[in-house]
Amino acid sequence: MRLKIQWLTVVLVSFSIMGFSQSKKNTIIPRTYVASKTVTPIAIDGDESDPSWSKAEWTDLFEDIENGIKPKYATKVKMLWDETNFYILAKIEEPHVWANLKQRDTIIFYNNDFEVFIDPDSDTFNYYELEINALNTAWDLFLSKPYRENDLVVLNDWNLTGLKSAVKVQGTLNNPNDIDQGWVLEMAIPWAAHKTSYFDQNVPADKFWRVNFSRVNWQHSIVDGKYERKKDTDGKFLPEYNWVWSPMGVINMHEPEKWGYVYFSSKEGKDTFTIPQDEKVKWELYNLYRAQKEYFQKNKSWAKSLTNLTKDVISIDNKVLKPILENHSSGYNISVKSLFSNQTFVIRQDGKIITK
């Protein structure tokens, strides 16, 4: 187990470094979704015809993770909630539905899969990842920090206790002799799995959580009647496609500050949600954080002046923010007072935001 975890960490860190090298100033506006409360129990069987789902709206179709290009195959999601669970329904168009990984907590994205990312308190620390393939094999992880931090801690043996999931294939699984429509994945994720303590009341009624969804799709070959990931002439696997609900602008899902906003409404009927202005203040802090990362890579030290990080005036809706950079022995803090709530937000060198 130790060797497996070490090898897994190397793989994921390498992936994240590749993604970080492509980072740029965040000009992406995260997607939003209002999840309504359901009073009717949902049977988790992979069937989208459950009456409760007819009351929920589909998200926009997924886009390429990096550049907004329309994917070859459509993916969309519905969401609902009740006092016990966060319900997710994913509809995945795919003419060749295949999967061969059957053991829980293997690297599921080596198959075509669907992935869920959840950060309950929107601070980019202590978040959750769930991957499921068309065999309904799950890989669940807890991450104390994003991979961009070298002192990362990934708990691969964390289990999403109480998870219910089911897959219904619209076609035939692992049969290369016909054309499929795709597969439907239905999930019930218990709020209790995300509790920080026994007494934590964490059902987010009329609150938002940061959430994103990703679909990994591989080109395939058929070898001896079985599907395999396609290789190039040198025998290396061709890169996968990454299609997401809320685009990242970079090939890296592990920048949680860019994930979408899911608002869990308890209102009867339709409700609306607008991203709070304070969230936009935090986006600007993360832009400065990324600029500090780039500065450190080039200079082997942290910038001591904000002018080393940006020459631009930082403003939101014509209100100018005035961040303050403070260096200390182990790094730096950048603080800014919100002109919308009068709260002060501080981002540390490890990317964690503190509210004062």
Side-chain angles (χ1 to χ4, degrees):
M1 179 60 73
R2 180 183 296 272
L3 289 175
K4 178 181 176 182
I5 296 299
Q6 288 177 343
W7 173 79
L8 172 63
T9 301
V10 170
V11 171
L12 295 176
V13 170
S14 298
F15 175 79
S16 71
I17 292 172
M18 176 185 70
F20 177 75
S21 68
Q22 302 174 63
S23 278
K24 54 189 175 183
K25 181 176 172 62
N26 181 20
T27 57
I28 293 171
I29 305 300
R31 298 281 191 267
T32 63
Y33 186 92
V34 177
S36 299
K37 187 176 183 180
T38 179
V39 295
T40 305
I42 297 177
I44 304 302
D45 55 10
D47 193 337
E48 62 180 300
S49 65
D50 191 302
S52 296
W53 288 121
S54 66
K55 301 175 184 178
E57 295 184 356
W58 290 109
T59 61
D60 293 334
L61 293 179
F62 284 25
E63 298 181 12
D64 181 86
I65 189 172
E66 182 182 25
N67 52 31
I69 293 176
K70 182 179 178 180
K72 189 173 183 179
Y73 307 121
T75 313
K76 55 186 178 181
V77 169
K78 287 185 177 183
M79 290 170 263
L80 291 167
W81 70 283
D82 61 19
E83 295 295 331
T84 304
N85 295 307
F86 177 21
Y87 298 101
I88 299 168
L89 178 75
K91 191 167 186 178
I92 302 160
E93 182 183 82
E94 174 59 67
H96 295 278
V97 181
W98 66 275
N100 57 22
L101 297 175
K102 300 179 181 180
Q103 182 178 338
R104 189 185 180 99
D105 288 342
T106 50
I107 303 178
I108 299 301
F109 67 76
Y110 284 171
N111 282 174
N112 294 341
D113 76 356
F114 185 84
E115 304 178 356
V116 183
F117 298 84
I118 296 176
D119 181 8
D121 59 6
S122 187
D123 70 351
T124 77
F125 278 44
N126 301 321
Y127 62 92
Y128 308 86
E129 178 179 353
L130 171 66
E131 303 184 7
I132 297 180
N133 66 7
L135 283 168
N136 198 30
T137 308
W139 181 23
D140 41 16
L141 305 93
F142 173 85
L143 296 97
S144 63
K145 296 182 181 182
Y147 292 132
R148 60 194 169 199
E149 296 302 320
N150 292 331
D151 56 342
L152 62 93
V153 176
V154 181
L155 297 181
N156 188 51
D157 57 352
W158 175 81
N159 284 324
L160 210 168
T161 304
L163 169 70
K164 295 180 181 179
S165 63
V167 169
K168 180 169 283 189
V169 176
Q170 298 169 323
T172 52
L173 179 67
N174 290 328
N175 183 355
N177 298 316
D178 63 3
I179 299 298
D180 309 310
Q181 290 182 302
W183 50 297
V184 174
L185 170 61
E186 192 174 25
M187 288 173 275
I189 300 176
W191 304 119
H194 299 131
K195 278 190 172 188
T196 57
S197 69
Y198 179 83
F199 297 102
D200 185 14
Q201 302 298 319
N202 70 329
V203 179
D206 300 315
K207 298 178 182 178
F208 67 80
W209 279 14
R210 302 300 299 275
V211 175
N212 211 348
F213 305 104
S214 173
R215 172 184 174 180
V216 170
N217 192 269
W218 297 88
Q219 296 182 60
H220 67 268
S221 298
I222 299 172
V223 179
D224 296 329
K226 296 182 179 180
Y227 290 101
E228 293 184 357
R229 288 185 290 159
K230 193 171 185 177
K231 298 179 179 179
D232 61 19
T233 54
D234 295 324
K236 296 180 180 179
F237 290 113
L238 294 176
E240 76 279 13
Y241 294 104
N242 296 273
W243 302 329
V244 302
W245 168 50
S246 194
M248 303 292 291
V250 60
I251 306 174
N252 184 3
M253 286 301 296
H254 294 274
E255 294 187 355
E257 67 274 13
K258 296 180 182 177
W259 294 350
Y261 292 80
V262 176
Y263 179 75
F264 299 94
S265 172
S266 60
K267 180 179 177 180
E268 292 186 12
K270 290 190 175 182
D271 201 354
T272 59
F273 170 74
T274 301
I275 297 173
Q277 297 292 65
D278 276 356
E279 289 297 297
K280 300 176 184 178
V281 175
K282 294 177 185 178
W283 297 350
E284 296 299 337
L285 284 177
Y286 278 111
N287 285 335
L288 294 172
Y289 160 81
R290 282 188 284 273
Q292 270 281 38
K293 282 277 191 183
E294 294 175 3
Y295 186 93
F296 190 91
Q297 284 184 340
K298 293 177 182 177
N299 301 282
K300 308 305 178 186
S301 63
W302 300 113
K304 293 182 172 57
S305 171
L306 287 173
T307 57
N308 296 132
L309 305 179
T310 180
K311 306 296 183 185
D312 299 329
V313 173
I314 301 174
S315 64
I316 299 173
D317 293 344
N318 297 318
K319 292 188 177 182
V320 177
L321 301 179
K322 297 181 179 179
I324 298 173
L325 169 61
E326 298 175 291
N327 294 80
H328 52 76
S329 58
S330 59
Y332 68 87
N333 294 330
I334 301 176
S335 61
V336 63
K337 185 175 183 179
S338 170
L339 301 177
F340 305 100
S341 67
N342 287 324
Q343 289 186 304
T344 296
F345 300 107
V346 183
I347 194 165
R348 308 185 315 204
Q349 70 278 350
D350 61 2
K352 186 174 178 63
I353 282 186
I354 299 168
T355 303
K356 295 183 177 181

